[in-house]
Amino acid sequence: MGEHTTPTFPQEIIDEYAALGVDLPALFSAGHLGERMGVTIVEASADRVVGTMPVEGNTQPYGLLHGGASAVLAETLGSIGSMLHGGATKLAVGVDLNCTHHRGVRNGLVTGVATPVHRGRSTATYEIVITDEHDKRVCTARLTCLLRDAPAPAAG
């Protein structure tokens, strides 16, 4: 559906996860739901996560971008930011998502930009603004993630 590119991560973040045996760019270049919906991560850091998604294939019966598709893009971007904020010792688990849909989109590509509202020890909240190809705001979302301790790596 959408062309996948390798996301851009700060090198120190890539190195942190590589030390744990995790190929961070590969982890976020696809994903089952994101892949089906054509989500592409363009840039990723705890300060800003950018991703795109095609409208085609993600519409509701009236031919408009489905609100649930916007929610998937928003939760994906906010979760990545939360996970990067928490670091390799934390898992980011979404606990609250709200989306306000401002206008309909019938075609093209939408872009989401997630920026932090709050980054604490146990929670992280991101605002995600989704715009169309004309830079018109389509959706404003807010995601809060709980930051849980990651399981210890298996010995071996």
Side-chain angles (χ1 to χ4, degrees), residues 123 149 154:
T123 63
D149 290 333

Side-chain angles (χ1 to χ4, degrees), residues 40-63:
T40 300
I41 305 303
V42 177
E43 174 187 334
S45 73
D47 294 323
R48 177 179 156 94
V49 182
V50 180
T52 61
M53 182 180 66
V55 173
E56 183 180 343
N58 293 315
T59 57
Q60 39 89 310
Y62 297 118

Side-chain angles (χ1 to χ4, degrees), residues 85-86 118-125 147:
H85 162 66
H118 166 76
R119 291 187 297 185
R121 288 178 297 173
S122 60
T123 63
T125 301
L147 301 174

Side-chain angles (χ1 to χ4, degrees), residues 46-125:
D47 294 323
R48 177 179 156 94
V49 182
V50 180
T52 61
M53 182 180 66
V55 173
E56 183 180 343
N58 293 315
T59 57
Q60 39 89 310
Y62 297 118
L64 299 170
L65 178 65
H66 195 291
S70 294
V72 167
L73 179 59
E75 185 151 356
T76 299
L77 301 178
S79 292
I80 291 171
S82 296
M83 186 270 307
L84 291 172
H85 162 66
T89 62
K90 298 287 186 179
L91 297 176
V93 181
V95 294
D96 182 65
L97 173 67
N98 80 50
C99 301
T100 301
H101 306 289
H102 305 293
R103 70 175 61 242
V105 181
R106 292 189 179 278
N107 54 49
L109 197 67
V110 292
T111 300
V113 178
T115 54
V117 173
H118 166 76
R119 291 187 297 185
R121 288 178 297 173
S122 60
T123 63
T125 301

Side-chain angles (χ1 to χ4, degrees), residues 132-155:
D132 65 14
E133 291 178 322
H134 305 289
D135 207 30
K136 300 275 189 183
R137 191 177 291 224
V138 173
C139 175
T140 303
R142 188 188 71 239
L143 174 72
T144 298
C145 287
L146 176 65
L147 301 174
R148 299 182 56 187
D149 290 333

